[in-house]
Protein backbone atom coordinates (compact mmCIF):
# COMPACT_ATOMS: atom_id res chain seq x y z
CA UNK A 1 0.00 0.00 0.00
CA UNK A 2 2.89 2.32 0.63
CA UNK A 3 3.80 2.37 -3.08
CA UNK A 4 0.28 3.34 -4.17
CA UNK A 5 0.18 6.25 -1.81
CA UNK A 6 3.50 7.63 -3.01
CA UNK A 7 2.36 7.46 -6.65
CA UNK A 8 -0.69 9.58 -5.90
CA UNK A 9 1.47 11.99 -3.93
CA UNK A 10 3.82 12.21 -6.90
CA UNK A 11 0.92 12.92 -9.27
CA UNK A 12 -0.36 15.76 -7.13
CA UNK A 13 3.17 17.15 -6.82
CA UNK A 14 3.56 17.08 -10.60
CA UNK A 15 0.24 18.84 -11.04
CA UNK A 16 1.21 21.55 -8.64
CA UNK A 17 4.49 22.10 -10.48
CA UNK A 18 2.66 22.46 -13.78
CA UNK A 19 0.27 25.02 -12.36
CA UNK A 20 3.19 27.09 -11.06
CA UNK A 21 4.94 26.92 -14.44
CA UNK A 22 1.87 28.39 -16.13
CA UNK A 23 2.07 31.61 -14.13
CA UNK A 24 3.86 34.57 -15.65
CA UNK A 25 7.10 35.46 -13.97
CA UNK A 26 8.05 39.01 -13.12
CA UNK A 27 10.76 39.16 -15.78
CA UNK A 28 10.82 42.10 -18.12
CA UNK A 29 10.52 41.46 -21.84
CA UNK A 30 13.80 41.07 -23.71
CA UNK A 31 14.95 44.06 -25.71
CA UNK A 32 15.53 43.08 -29.36
CA UNK A 33 18.06 45.92 -29.74
CA UNK A 34 20.31 44.63 -26.97
CA UNK A 35 23.58 43.16 -28.31
CA UNK A 36 23.91 39.40 -28.12
CA UNK A 37 26.56 37.93 -25.84
CA UNK A 38 29.69 36.77 -27.66
CA UNK A 39 30.40 33.11 -28.36
CA UNK A 40 32.95 31.33 -26.20
CA UNK A 41 36.10 29.83 -27.71
CA UNK A 42 34.39 26.44 -27.91
CA UNK A 43 31.48 27.83 -29.92
CA UNK A 44 33.85 29.69 -32.24
CA UNK A 45 35.57 26.33 -32.79
CA UNK A 46 32.20 24.63 -33.36
CA UNK A 47 31.27 27.09 -36.12
CA UNK A 48 34.23 25.91 -38.18
CA UNK A 49 33.95 22.29 -37.06
CA UNK A 50 30.29 22.03 -38.16
CA UNK A 51 31.15 23.13 -41.69
CA UNK A 52 33.98 20.61 -41.93
CA UNK A 53 31.86 17.83 -40.39
CA UNK A 54 29.05 18.44 -42.89
CA UNK A 55 31.52 18.15 -45.77
CA UNK A 56 32.97 14.91 -44.41
CA UNK A 57 29.59 13.41 -43.43
CA UNK A 58 26.95 14.80 -45.84
CA UNK A 59 24.32 12.16 -44.96
CA UNK A 60 24.50 12.71 -41.19
CA UNK A 61 21.59 14.91 -40.06
CA UNK A 62 22.00 14.33 -36.31
CA UNK A 63 22.78 17.48 -34.34
CA UNK A 64 23.76 15.34 -31.36
CA UNK A 65 26.37 13.47 -33.41
CA UNK A 66 27.95 16.71 -34.60
CA UNK A 67 27.98 18.10 -31.06
CA UNK A 68 29.47 14.94 -29.60
CA UNK A 69 32.18 14.76 -32.28
CA UNK A 70 32.94 18.46 -31.82
CA UNK A 71 33.20 18.11 -28.05
CA UNK A 72 35.54 15.14 -28.36
CA UNK A 73 37.70 17.01 -30.87
CA UNK A 74 37.82 20.11 -28.63
CA UNK A 75 38.93 18.03 -25.64
CA UNK A 76 41.70 16.46 -27.69
CA UNK A 77 43.10 19.82 -28.85
CA UNK A 78 46.15 21.22 -27.09
CA UNK A 79 46.25 24.76 -25.68
CA UNK A 80 48.29 25.88 -28.69
CA UNK A 81 45.65 24.49 -31.07
CA UNK A 82 42.88 26.21 -29.09
CA UNK A 83 44.70 29.57 -29.10
CA UNK A 84 43.25 30.93 -32.38
CA UNK A 85 39.71 30.22 -31.19
CA UNK A 86 40.40 31.82 -27.81
CA UNK A 87 41.79 34.90 -29.59
CA UNK A 88 38.68 35.17 -31.80
CA UNK A 89 36.45 34.81 -28.75
CA UNK A 90 38.36 37.56 -26.91
CA UNK A 91 38.05 39.83 -29.95
CA UNK A 92 34.29 39.23 -30.03
CA UNK A 93 34.09 39.87 -26.29
CA UNK A 94 35.83 43.25 -26.62
CA UNK A 95 33.48 44.21 -29.45
CA UNK A 96 30.49 43.10 -27.38
CA UNK A 97 31.60 45.19 -24.41
CA UNK A 98 31.96 48.22 -26.68
CA UNK A 99 28.47 47.62 -28.11
CA UNK A 100 27.02 47.18 -24.61
CA UNK A 101 28.48 50.51 -23.46
CA UNK A 102 26.90 52.22 -26.46
CA UNK A 103 23.62 50.37 -25.84
CA UNK A 104 23.57 51.32 -22.15
CA UNK A 105 24.29 54.94 -23.07
CA UNK A 106 21.38 54.94 -25.53
CA UNK A 107 19.14 53.35 -22.88
CA UNK A 108 20.08 55.99 -20.31
CA UNK A 109 19.40 58.81 -22.76
CA UNK A 110 16.24 57.14 -24.06
CA UNK A 111 14.65 56.61 -20.63
CA UNK A 112 14.77 60.32 -19.81
CA UNK A 113 12.94 61.19 -23.03
CA UNK A 114 10.47 58.32 -22.71
CA UNK A 115 9.52 59.35 -19.16
CA UNK A 116 8.67 62.85 -20.30
CA UNK A 117 6.63 61.59 -23.24
CA UNK A 118 4.83 58.95 -21.21
CA UNK A 119 3.89 61.47 -18.50
CA UNK A 120 2.59 63.82 -21.14
CA UNK A 121 0.58 61.12 -22.86
CA UNK A 122 -0.86 59.94 -19.54
CA UNK A 123 -2.02 63.44 -18.68
CA UNK A 124 -3.55 63.90 -22.14
CA UNK A 125 -5.37 60.58 -21.82
CA UNK A 126 -6.69 61.57 -18.38
CA UNK A 127 -7.90 64.93 -19.72
CA UNK A 128 -9.77 63.18 -22.53
CA UNK A 129 -11.34 60.72 -20.09
CA UNK A 130 -12.54 63.56 -17.87
CA UNK A 131 -14.20 65.30 -20.82
CA UNK A 132 -15.90 62.15 -22.11
CA UNK A 133 -17.04 60.57 -18.84
CA UNK A 134 -18.36 63.47 -16.85
CA UNK A 135 -19.88 61.02 -14.34
CA UNK A 136 -17.63 61.96 -11.47
CA UNK A 137 -16.68 58.31 -10.73
CA UNK A 138 -12.95 58.23 -11.31
CA UNK A 139 -10.65 55.37 -10.45
CA UNK A 140 -7.02 56.07 -9.66
CA UNK A 141 -4.85 53.60 -11.61
CA UNK A 142 -1.54 54.83 -10.19
Amino acid sequence: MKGGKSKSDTKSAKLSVKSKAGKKSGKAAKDPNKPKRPASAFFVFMEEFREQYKKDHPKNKSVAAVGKAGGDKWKSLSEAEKAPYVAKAEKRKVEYEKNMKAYNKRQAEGTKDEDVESDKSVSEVNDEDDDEEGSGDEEDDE
Side-chain angles (χ1 to χ4, degrees):
M1 289 305 224
K2 189 175 182 181
K5 187 175 182 181
S6 65
K7 285 183 183 178
S8 63
D9 291 343
T10 305
K11 270 189 177 181
S12 63
K14 285 182 182 178
L15 292 176
S16 65
V17 170
K18 287 182 182 179
S19 64
K20 288 180 184 177
K23 293 181 182 179
K24 289 185 180 180
S25 62
K27 286 186 177 181
K30 290 186 179 182
D31 185 0
N33 298 326
K34 186 175 181 179
K36 290 187 175 183
R37 293 185 68 196
S40 66
F42 172 70
F43 283 101
V44 173
F45 163 76
M46 283 301 292
E47 290 171 1
E48 293 180 14
F49 181 80
R50 268 188 222 101
E51 293 175 15
Q52 186 62 40
Y53 192 85
K54 285 181 183 178
K55 289 177 186 175
D56 295 343
H57 305 90
K59 294 183 179 180
N60 187 358
K61 302 291 181 187
S62 173
V63 175
V66 177
K68 186 165 180 67
D72 293 340
K73 175 81 172 175
W74 178 256
K75 287 178 187 176
S76 69
L77 293 178
S78 68
E79 292 299 318
E81 292 170 320
K82 291 180 183 180
Y85 304 110
V86 172
K88 286 180 186 178
E90 285 297 321
K91 184 177 178 183
R92 289 183 184 186
K93 185 176 180 181
V94 169
E95 185 177 333
Y96 166 77
E97 289 172 353
K98 184 179 82 172
N99 290 340
M100 276 303 293
K101 284 182 183 177
Y103 170 79
N104 288 333
K105 187 176 179 183
R106 284 194 309 266
Q107 289 297 104
E109 292 172 357
T111 55
K112 293 176 186 174
D113 297 338
E114 289 173 9
D115 289 343
V116 172
E117 291 175 1
S118 64
D119 289 343
K120 182 178 178 184
S121 62
V122 167
S123 64
E124 289 176 359
V125 170
N126 289 339
D127 291 341
E128 291 173 4
D129 290 343
D130 292 343
D131 295 340
E132 292 173 4
E133 289 178 7
S135 64
D137 295 336
E138 293 180 12
E139 293 180 10
D140 191 17
D141 292 336
E142 293 177 351

